[in-house]
Short mmCIF file of all heavy atoms in Angstrom, two decimals:
data_model
loop_
_atom_site.label_atom_id
_atom_site.label_comp_id
_atom_site.label_asym_id
_atom_site.label_seq_id
_atom_site.Cartn_x
_atom_site.Cartn_y
_atom_site.Cartn_z
N MET A 1 167.28 120.19 34.98
CA MET A 1 166.65 119.52 33.88
C MET A 1 167.19 118.10 33.84
O MET A 1 168.37 117.86 34.10
CB MET A 1 166.99 120.28 32.59
CG MET A 1 166.32 119.74 31.39
SD MET A 1 166.40 120.85 29.98
CE MET A 1 168.12 120.74 29.55
N SER A 2 166.31 117.17 33.52
CA SER A 2 166.68 115.77 33.46
C SER A 2 165.97 115.10 32.29
O SER A 2 164.78 115.33 32.05
CB SER A 2 166.28 115.08 34.76
OG SER A 2 166.41 113.68 34.65
N TYR A 3 166.71 114.29 31.57
CA TYR A 3 166.13 113.51 30.47
C TYR A 3 166.63 112.09 30.62
O TYR A 3 167.84 111.84 30.64
CB TYR A 3 166.57 114.09 29.12
CG TYR A 3 165.97 113.37 27.93
CD1 TYR A 3 164.63 113.52 27.62
CD2 TYR A 3 166.73 112.54 27.13
CE1 TYR A 3 164.06 112.88 26.54
CE2 TYR A 3 166.19 111.88 26.05
CZ TYR A 3 164.85 112.06 25.76
OH TYR A 3 164.29 111.40 24.69
N GLY A 4 165.70 111.16 30.79
CA GLY A 4 166.10 109.78 30.98
C GLY A 4 164.94 108.83 30.81
O GLY A 4 163.82 109.24 30.52
N PRO A 5 165.20 107.54 31.01
CA PRO A 5 164.16 106.55 30.81
C PRO A 5 163.03 106.70 31.83
O PRO A 5 163.25 107.13 32.96
CB PRO A 5 164.88 105.21 30.99
CG PRO A 5 166.09 105.53 31.78
CD PRO A 5 166.46 106.94 31.44
N SER A 6 161.83 106.35 31.40
CA SER A 6 160.67 106.39 32.28
C SER A 6 160.72 105.18 33.20
O SER A 6 160.62 104.04 32.75
CB SER A 6 159.38 106.35 31.45
OG SER A 6 158.27 106.12 32.29
N TYR A 7 160.89 105.42 34.49
CA TYR A 7 160.98 104.31 35.44
C TYR A 7 159.66 103.58 35.56
O TYR A 7 159.63 102.37 35.75
CB TYR A 7 161.47 104.82 36.80
CG TYR A 7 162.92 105.23 36.76
CD1 TYR A 7 163.29 106.56 36.82
CD2 TYR A 7 163.92 104.28 36.60
CE1 TYR A 7 164.62 106.94 36.75
CE2 TYR A 7 165.25 104.64 36.52
CZ TYR A 7 165.60 105.97 36.60
OH TYR A 7 166.91 106.34 36.51
N GLU A 8 158.56 104.29 35.42
CA GLU A 8 157.25 103.65 35.46
C GLU A 8 157.13 102.63 34.33
O GLU A 8 156.69 101.49 34.53
CB GLU A 8 156.15 104.70 35.33
CG GLU A 8 154.75 104.12 35.38
CD GLU A 8 153.68 105.19 35.22
OE1 GLU A 8 153.96 106.38 35.40
OE2 GLU A 8 152.54 104.81 34.90
N ASP A 9 157.53 103.01 33.13
CA ASP A 9 157.48 102.11 31.99
C ASP A 9 158.45 100.95 32.17
O ASP A 9 158.13 99.81 31.82
CB ASP A 9 157.79 102.89 30.70
CG ASP A 9 157.56 102.05 29.46
OD1 ASP A 9 156.44 101.54 29.30
OD2 ASP A 9 158.51 101.91 28.66
N MET A 10 159.63 101.21 32.72
CA MET A 10 160.61 100.14 32.95
C MET A 10 160.08 99.11 33.95
O MET A 10 160.30 97.91 33.78
CB MET A 10 161.93 100.74 33.44
CG MET A 10 162.69 101.46 32.36
SD MET A 10 164.19 102.30 32.92
CE MET A 10 165.12 100.99 33.67
N HIS A 11 159.36 99.57 34.98
CA HIS A 11 158.80 98.64 35.96
C HIS A 11 157.72 97.77 35.31
O HIS A 11 157.63 96.57 35.58
CB HIS A 11 158.23 99.39 37.16
CG HIS A 11 159.29 100.00 38.01
ND1 HIS A 11 159.25 101.31 38.41
CD2 HIS A 11 160.44 99.50 38.53
CE1 HIS A 11 160.31 101.58 39.13
NE2 HIS A 11 161.05 100.49 39.21
N LYS A 12 156.91 98.36 34.46
CA LYS A 12 155.88 97.59 33.75
C LYS A 12 156.53 96.54 32.85
O LYS A 12 156.09 95.39 32.80
CB LYS A 12 155.00 98.52 32.92
CG LYS A 12 154.06 99.35 33.73
CD LYS A 12 153.24 100.28 32.85
CE LYS A 12 152.38 101.21 33.67
NZ LYS A 12 151.64 102.16 32.84
N ARG A 13 157.57 96.93 32.12
CA ARG A 13 158.26 95.99 31.24
C ARG A 13 158.93 94.88 32.04
O ARG A 13 158.95 93.73 31.61
CB ARG A 13 159.31 96.72 30.39
CG ARG A 13 158.75 97.76 29.43
CD ARG A 13 157.84 97.23 28.36
NE ARG A 13 158.46 96.13 27.65
CZ ARG A 13 157.79 95.18 27.01
NH1 ARG A 13 156.49 95.17 27.00
NH2 ARG A 13 158.43 94.21 26.40
N ALA A 14 159.46 95.20 33.22
CA ALA A 14 160.09 94.18 34.08
C ALA A 14 159.04 93.17 34.54
O ALA A 14 159.31 91.97 34.59
CB ALA A 14 160.77 94.84 35.27
N ALA A 15 157.84 93.64 34.87
CA ALA A 15 156.77 92.74 35.30
C ALA A 15 156.38 91.79 34.16
O ALA A 15 156.15 90.60 34.40
CB ALA A 15 155.56 93.55 35.77
N ILE A 16 156.33 92.29 32.95
CA ILE A 16 156.01 91.46 31.79
C ILE A 16 157.10 90.41 31.59
O ILE A 16 156.83 89.24 31.31
CB ILE A 16 155.82 92.33 30.53
CG1 ILE A 16 154.56 93.18 30.68
CG2 ILE A 16 155.76 91.48 29.27
CD1 ILE A 16 154.42 94.27 29.62
N TYR A 17 158.34 90.82 31.78
CA TYR A 17 159.49 89.94 31.64
C TYR A 17 159.43 88.82 32.68
O TYR A 17 159.62 87.64 32.36
CB TYR A 17 160.76 90.78 31.83
CG TYR A 17 161.97 90.32 31.06
CD1 TYR A 17 162.08 90.55 29.70
CD2 TYR A 17 163.02 89.69 31.71
CE1 TYR A 17 163.20 90.17 29.00
CE2 TYR A 17 164.15 89.30 31.01
CZ TYR A 17 164.23 89.54 29.66
OH TYR A 17 165.34 89.15 28.97
N VAL A 18 159.15 89.17 33.93
CA VAL A 18 159.04 88.19 35.01
C VAL A 18 157.88 87.23 34.73
O VAL A 18 157.99 86.02 34.96
CB VAL A 18 158.86 88.89 36.38
CG1 VAL A 18 158.48 87.90 37.47
CG2 VAL A 18 160.14 89.62 36.76
N ASN A 19 156.78 87.77 34.23
CA ASN A 19 155.63 86.93 33.90
C ASN A 19 156.00 85.87 32.87
O ASN A 19 155.60 84.71 32.99
CB ASN A 19 154.48 87.80 33.39
CG ASN A 19 153.20 87.02 33.20
OD1 ASN A 19 152.89 86.13 33.99
ND2 ASN A 19 152.47 87.33 32.16
N LYS A 20 156.77 86.24 31.87
CA LYS A 20 157.21 85.28 30.86
C LYS A 20 158.05 84.17 31.49
O LYS A 20 157.91 82.99 31.15
CB LYS A 20 158.01 85.98 29.76
CG LYS A 20 157.18 86.86 28.86
CD LYS A 20 158.05 87.57 27.84
CE LYS A 20 157.24 88.53 26.98
NZ LYS A 20 158.10 89.23 26.01
N ILE A 21 158.94 84.55 32.40
CA ILE A 21 159.80 83.57 33.07
C ILE A 21 158.96 82.63 33.94
O ILE A 21 159.17 81.42 33.95
CB ILE A 21 160.89 84.28 33.91
CG1 ILE A 21 161.85 85.03 32.97
CG2 ILE A 21 161.64 83.29 34.78
CD1 ILE A 21 162.80 85.97 33.67
N LEU A 22 158.00 83.20 34.68
CA LEU A 22 157.16 82.37 35.54
C LEU A 22 156.28 81.42 34.72
O LEU A 22 155.85 80.39 35.24
CB LEU A 22 156.31 83.25 36.45
CG LEU A 22 157.07 84.04 37.51
CD1 LEU A 22 156.13 84.95 38.28
CD2 LEU A 22 157.81 83.10 38.45
N LYS A 23 156.00 81.76 33.48
CA LYS A 23 155.20 80.89 32.62
C LYS A 23 156.05 79.83 31.91
O LYS A 23 155.54 79.06 31.12
CB LYS A 23 154.44 81.72 31.59
CG LYS A 23 153.28 82.49 32.20
CD LYS A 23 152.48 83.20 31.14
CE LYS A 23 151.28 83.89 31.77
NZ LYS A 23 150.47 84.57 30.76
N GLY A 24 157.37 79.82 32.22
CA GLY A 24 158.21 78.74 31.71
C GLY A 24 159.27 79.13 30.70
O GLY A 24 160.04 78.28 30.27
N ALA A 25 159.33 80.38 30.30
CA ALA A 25 160.36 80.79 29.34
C ALA A 25 161.73 80.79 30.01
O ALA A 25 161.86 81.12 31.19
CB ALA A 25 160.05 82.17 28.79
N LYS A 26 162.72 80.37 29.27
CA LYS A 26 164.09 80.40 29.80
C LYS A 26 164.60 81.84 29.74
O LYS A 26 164.51 82.48 28.68
CB LYS A 26 165.01 79.52 28.96
CG LYS A 26 164.80 78.06 29.13
CD LYS A 26 165.85 77.32 28.30
CE LYS A 26 165.70 75.84 28.40
NZ LYS A 26 166.72 75.18 27.57
N PRO A 27 165.15 82.36 30.82
CA PRO A 27 165.69 83.73 30.79
C PRO A 27 166.75 83.93 29.70
O PRO A 27 166.84 85.00 29.11
CB PRO A 27 166.28 83.92 32.18
CG PRO A 27 165.51 82.97 33.04
CD PRO A 27 165.20 81.79 32.16
N SER A 28 167.53 82.88 29.43
CA SER A 28 168.57 83.01 28.41
C SER A 28 168.00 83.12 27.00
O SER A 28 168.68 83.58 26.09
CB SER A 28 169.53 81.83 28.48
OG SER A 28 168.83 80.62 28.24
N ASP A 29 166.74 82.70 26.82
CA ASP A 29 166.10 82.79 25.51
C ASP A 29 165.40 84.13 25.28
O ASP A 29 165.02 84.44 24.15
CB ASP A 29 165.08 81.66 25.33
CG ASP A 29 165.74 80.29 25.26
OD1 ASP A 29 166.95 80.24 24.96
OD2 ASP A 29 165.04 79.30 25.52
N LEU A 30 165.20 84.89 26.34
CA LEU A 30 164.50 86.16 26.21
C LEU A 30 165.46 87.26 25.74
O LEU A 30 166.61 87.30 26.16
CB LEU A 30 163.88 86.56 27.55
CG LEU A 30 162.78 85.64 28.08
CD1 LEU A 30 162.34 86.07 29.46
CD2 LEU A 30 161.60 85.61 27.14
N PRO A 31 164.98 88.15 24.88
CA PRO A 31 165.86 89.21 24.39
C PRO A 31 166.12 90.27 25.47
O PRO A 31 165.31 90.46 26.37
CB PRO A 31 165.07 89.82 23.23
CG PRO A 31 163.65 89.55 23.59
CD PRO A 31 163.65 88.22 24.31
N ILE A 32 167.25 90.92 25.35
CA ILE A 32 167.55 92.05 26.23
C ILE A 32 166.71 93.23 25.76
O ILE A 32 166.65 93.52 24.57
CB ILE A 32 169.05 92.41 26.18
CG1 ILE A 32 169.86 91.24 26.74
CG2 ILE A 32 169.33 93.69 26.95
CD1 ILE A 32 171.35 91.41 26.58
N GLU A 33 166.05 93.88 26.70
CA GLU A 33 165.18 94.99 26.33
C GLU A 33 165.81 96.32 26.73
O GLU A 33 166.41 96.43 27.79
CB GLU A 33 163.82 94.84 27.00
CG GLU A 33 163.06 93.62 26.51
CD GLU A 33 161.64 93.57 26.99
OE1 GLU A 33 161.14 94.57 27.55
OE2 GLU A 33 161.01 92.53 26.80
N GLN A 34 165.67 97.28 25.86
CA GLN A 34 166.15 98.64 26.10
C GLN A 34 164.96 99.54 26.40
O GLN A 34 163.85 99.27 25.92
CB GLN A 34 166.90 99.16 24.87
CG GLN A 34 168.13 98.37 24.51
CD GLN A 34 169.25 98.57 25.51
OE1 GLN A 34 169.42 99.64 26.06
NE2 GLN A 34 170.01 97.52 25.75
N PRO A 35 165.16 100.60 27.16
CA PRO A 35 164.05 101.53 27.39
C PRO A 35 163.54 102.11 26.08
O PRO A 35 164.32 102.38 25.16
CB PRO A 35 164.66 102.64 28.26
CG PRO A 35 165.91 102.07 28.81
CD PRO A 35 166.37 101.01 27.86
N THR A 36 162.23 102.28 25.99
CA THR A 36 161.65 102.84 24.78
C THR A 36 160.95 104.16 25.05
O THR A 36 160.65 104.90 24.13
CB THR A 36 160.63 101.87 24.16
OG1 THR A 36 159.64 101.55 25.14
CG2 THR A 36 161.29 100.58 23.69
N LYS A 37 160.66 104.44 26.32
CA LYS A 37 159.98 105.68 26.67
C LYS A 37 160.90 106.51 27.57
O LYS A 37 161.46 105.99 28.54
CB LYS A 37 158.67 105.38 27.39
CG LYS A 37 157.85 106.61 27.68
CD LYS A 37 156.51 106.25 28.30
CE LYS A 37 155.73 107.53 28.57
NZ LYS A 37 154.48 107.25 29.27
N PHE A 38 161.05 107.77 27.24
CA PHE A 38 161.91 108.67 28.00
C PHE A 38 161.10 109.87 28.50
O PHE A 38 160.10 110.24 27.88
CB PHE A 38 163.08 109.15 27.13
CG PHE A 38 164.02 108.04 26.76
CD1 PHE A 38 163.76 107.21 25.68
CD2 PHE A 38 165.14 107.79 27.52
CE1 PHE A 38 164.60 106.18 25.35
CE2 PHE A 38 166.00 106.76 27.19
CZ PHE A 38 165.73 105.94 26.10
N THR A 39 161.53 110.44 29.61
CA THR A 39 160.82 111.59 30.17
C THR A 39 161.77 112.78 30.31
O THR A 39 162.96 112.61 30.56
CB THR A 39 160.22 111.28 31.56
OG1 THR A 39 161.26 110.88 32.44
CG2 THR A 39 159.18 110.18 31.47
N LEU A 40 161.20 113.96 30.15
CA LEU A 40 161.94 115.20 30.31
C LEU A 40 161.34 115.94 31.51
O LEU A 40 160.15 116.20 31.54
CB LEU A 40 161.82 116.08 29.06
CG LEU A 40 162.41 117.49 29.16
CD1 LEU A 40 163.92 117.43 29.36
CD2 LEU A 40 162.07 118.28 27.92
N SER A 41 162.17 116.21 32.50
CA SER A 41 161.74 116.95 33.68
C SER A 41 162.50 118.27 33.74
O SER A 41 163.71 118.30 33.51
CB SER A 41 162.03 116.16 34.96
OG SER A 41 161.34 114.93 34.94
N VAL A 42 161.78 119.33 34.06
CA VAL A 42 162.37 120.67 34.13
C VAL A 42 162.03 121.27 35.49
O VAL A 42 160.88 121.25 35.91
CB VAL A 42 161.84 121.58 33.00
CG1 VAL A 42 162.36 122.99 33.15
CG2 VAL A 42 162.19 121.01 31.65
N SER A 43 163.04 121.78 36.17
CA SER A 43 162.83 122.44 37.46
C SER A 43 163.00 123.95 37.26
O SER A 43 164.11 124.46 37.14
CB SER A 43 163.82 121.94 38.51
OG SER A 43 163.69 122.67 39.69
N LEU A 44 161.87 124.64 37.23
CA LEU A 44 161.91 126.09 37.08
C LEU A 44 162.46 126.75 38.35
O LEU A 44 163.09 127.81 38.28
CB LEU A 44 160.52 126.63 36.75
CG LEU A 44 159.93 126.16 35.42
CD1 LEU A 44 158.52 126.69 35.25
CD2 LEU A 44 160.82 126.59 34.27
N LYS A 45 162.23 126.10 39.49
CA LYS A 45 162.73 126.62 40.76
C LYS A 45 164.26 126.63 40.77
O LYS A 45 164.88 127.64 41.12
CB LYS A 45 162.20 125.75 41.91
CG LYS A 45 162.59 126.20 43.28
CD LYS A 45 161.97 125.28 44.33
CE LYS A 45 162.38 125.69 45.73
NZ LYS A 45 161.82 124.79 46.74
N ALA A 46 164.88 125.52 40.36
CA ALA A 46 166.35 125.46 40.31
C ALA A 46 166.90 126.41 39.26
O ALA A 46 167.93 127.04 39.47
CB ALA A 46 166.79 124.03 40.02
N ALA A 47 166.22 126.51 38.12
CA ALA A 47 166.66 127.42 37.06
C ALA A 47 166.66 128.86 37.56
O ALA A 47 167.58 129.63 37.27
CB ALA A 47 165.77 127.28 35.83
N LYS A 48 165.64 129.22 38.33
CA LYS A 48 165.55 130.58 38.86
C LYS A 48 166.69 130.86 39.83
O LYS A 48 167.31 131.93 39.78
CB LYS A 48 164.20 130.78 39.57
CG LYS A 48 163.97 132.18 40.06
CD LYS A 48 162.59 132.31 40.68
CE LYS A 48 162.37 133.73 41.19
NZ LYS A 48 161.06 133.88 41.82
N VAL A 49 167.00 129.89 40.70
CA VAL A 49 168.09 130.06 41.66
C VAL A 49 169.43 130.23 40.93
O VAL A 49 170.28 131.03 41.34
CB VAL A 49 168.16 128.86 42.63
CG1 VAL A 49 169.42 128.86 43.45
CG2 VAL A 49 166.93 128.83 43.54
N LEU A 50 169.60 129.49 39.82
CA LEU A 50 170.85 129.57 39.06
C LEU A 50 170.88 130.75 38.09
O LEU A 50 171.90 131.00 37.44
CB LEU A 50 171.06 128.27 38.28
CG LEU A 50 171.29 127.03 39.13
CD1 LEU A 50 171.26 125.78 38.26
CD2 LEU A 50 172.62 127.13 39.87
N GLY A 51 169.75 131.44 37.95
CA GLY A 51 169.69 132.57 37.04
C GLY A 51 169.58 132.16 35.59
O GLY A 51 170.01 132.90 34.70
N ILE A 52 169.03 130.99 35.34
CA ILE A 52 168.88 130.48 33.98
C ILE A 52 167.43 130.63 33.55
O ILE A 52 166.52 130.31 34.30
CB ILE A 52 169.27 128.99 33.92
CG1 ILE A 52 170.71 128.80 34.35
CG2 ILE A 52 169.05 128.42 32.52
CD1 ILE A 52 171.11 127.35 34.55
N SER A 53 167.21 131.11 32.34
CA SER A 53 165.84 131.19 31.83
C SER A 53 165.60 129.98 30.92
O SER A 53 166.43 129.63 30.09
CB SER A 53 165.62 132.49 31.07
OG SER A 53 166.46 132.54 29.95
N MET A 54 164.46 129.36 31.12
CA MET A 54 164.08 128.19 30.30
C MET A 54 163.16 128.66 29.18
O MET A 54 162.18 129.35 29.44
CB MET A 54 163.34 127.15 31.14
CG MET A 54 164.19 126.46 32.15
SD MET A 54 165.24 125.28 31.30
CE MET A 54 166.11 124.61 32.69
N PRO A 55 163.46 128.29 27.95
CA PRO A 55 162.57 128.65 26.84
C PRO A 55 161.18 128.05 27.04
O PRO A 55 161.05 126.92 27.52
CB PRO A 55 163.25 128.04 25.61
CG PRO A 55 164.67 127.78 26.03
CD PRO A 55 164.64 127.56 27.49
N ALA A 56 160.17 128.79 26.68
CA ALA A 56 158.79 128.34 26.86
C ALA A 56 158.52 127.06 26.07
O ALA A 56 157.76 126.20 26.52
CB ALA A 56 157.82 129.44 26.43
N THR A 57 159.16 126.91 24.92
CA THR A 57 158.95 125.70 24.12
C THR A 57 159.49 124.46 24.84
O THR A 57 158.90 123.39 24.76
CB THR A 57 159.61 125.82 22.74
OG1 THR A 57 160.99 126.16 22.92
CG2 THR A 57 158.93 126.88 21.90
N LEU A 58 160.60 124.62 25.56
CA LEU A 58 161.17 123.50 26.31
C LEU A 58 160.27 123.13 27.48
O LEU A 58 160.01 121.96 27.72
CB LEU A 58 162.57 123.87 26.83
CG LEU A 58 163.29 122.78 27.61
CD1 LEU A 58 163.62 121.60 26.70
CD2 LEU A 58 164.57 123.32 28.23
N VAL A 59 159.77 124.13 28.17
CA VAL A 59 158.86 123.89 29.30
C VAL A 59 157.57 123.23 28.80
O VAL A 59 157.04 122.32 29.45
CB VAL A 59 158.56 125.20 30.05
CG1 VAL A 59 157.53 124.99 31.14
CG2 VAL A 59 159.85 125.77 30.65
N ALA A 60 157.09 123.64 27.64
CA ALA A 60 155.87 123.07 27.08
C ALA A 60 156.05 121.59 26.71
O ALA A 60 155.10 120.81 26.81
CB ALA A 60 155.43 123.86 25.86
N ARG A 61 157.23 121.21 26.30
CA ARG A 61 157.50 119.83 25.89
C ARG A 61 157.82 118.92 27.06
O ARG A 61 157.83 117.69 26.91
CB ARG A 61 158.65 119.78 24.90
CG ARG A 61 158.27 120.45 23.58
CD ARG A 61 159.23 120.10 22.52
NE ARG A 61 159.09 118.68 22.24
CZ ARG A 61 159.58 118.10 21.15
NH1 ARG A 61 160.22 118.80 20.28
NH2 ARG A 61 159.43 116.82 20.96
N ALA A 62 158.10 119.48 28.23
CA ALA A 62 158.49 118.68 29.39
C ALA A 62 157.32 117.82 29.88
O ALA A 62 156.18 118.23 29.87
CB ALA A 62 158.96 119.60 30.52
N ASP A 63 157.67 116.60 30.31
CA ASP A 63 156.68 115.69 30.88
C ASP A 63 156.35 116.07 32.31
O ASP A 63 155.25 115.84 32.80
CB ASP A 63 157.20 114.25 30.86
CG ASP A 63 157.45 113.78 29.43
OD1 ASP A 63 156.48 113.75 28.65
OD2 ASP A 63 158.60 113.44 29.12
N GLU A 64 157.33 116.67 33.00
CA GLU A 64 157.16 117.10 34.39
C GLU A 64 157.81 118.47 34.56
O GLU A 64 158.95 118.66 34.16
CB GLU A 64 157.80 116.09 35.35
CG GLU A 64 157.70 116.46 36.79
CD GLU A 64 158.45 115.50 37.72
OE1 GLU A 64 159.24 114.69 37.24
OE2 GLU A 64 158.22 115.60 38.92
N VAL A 65 157.07 119.38 35.16
CA VAL A 65 157.60 120.74 35.43
C VAL A 65 157.49 120.99 36.93
O VAL A 65 156.42 120.90 37.50
CB VAL A 65 156.81 121.82 34.65
CG1 VAL A 65 157.34 123.21 34.99
CG2 VAL A 65 156.90 121.57 33.16
N ILE A 66 158.63 121.28 37.55
CA ILE A 66 158.68 121.60 38.98
C ILE A 66 158.71 123.10 39.09
O ILE A 66 159.64 123.75 38.61
CB ILE A 66 159.91 120.95 39.65
CG1 ILE A 66 159.86 119.43 39.45
CG2 ILE A 66 159.95 121.32 41.12
CD1 ILE A 66 161.15 118.74 39.79
N GLU A 67 157.67 123.67 39.68
CA GLU A 67 157.54 125.12 39.74
C GLU A 67 158.35 125.72 40.86
O GLU A 67 158.42 125.56 41.91
CB GLU A 67 156.06 125.52 39.92
CG GLU A 67 155.22 124.96 38.82
CD GLU A 67 154.94 125.95 37.70
OE1 GLU A 67 155.28 127.11 37.82
OE2 GLU A 67 154.40 125.50 36.69
#
């Protein structure tokens, strides 16, 4: 199981940040941005190997499920 920032969203935000700089904004004037979108990934295959049962509610809430 993994819970962390969405790398897809972070790449999009980085592109927007670079665009601002290329349009003339000073990097020192731009605010530091924190991730705002997080993803939950669950590996049922690894859980089975470890003998762990995942609650159905957790699997239902996961953004990615590895069977």
Side-chain angles (χ1 to χ4, degrees):
M1 184 166 70
S2 170
Y3 182 72
S6 168
Y7 290 108
E8 180 181 342
D9 188 56
M10 288 175 56
H11 290 130
K12 288 179 185 177
R13 297 297 308 155
I16 293 169
Y17 211 76
V18 169
N19 187 38
K20 289 178 184 179
I21 294 169
L22 292 176
K23 287 185 176 181
K26 288 184 181 179
S28 61
D29 293 339
L30 296 175
I32 296 173
E33 295 189 11
Q34 297 290 325
T36 56
K37 185 176 180 185
F38 294 84
T39 58
L40 173 65
S41 300
V42 175
S43 175
L44 296 177
K45 182 178 179 182
K48 184 177 179 181
V49 169
L50 294 171
I52 300 170
S53 63
M54 290 285 180
T57 54
L58 181 66
V59 175
R61 293 195 67 164
D63 298 299
E64 179 185 13
V65 178
I66 302 167
E67 303 263 352

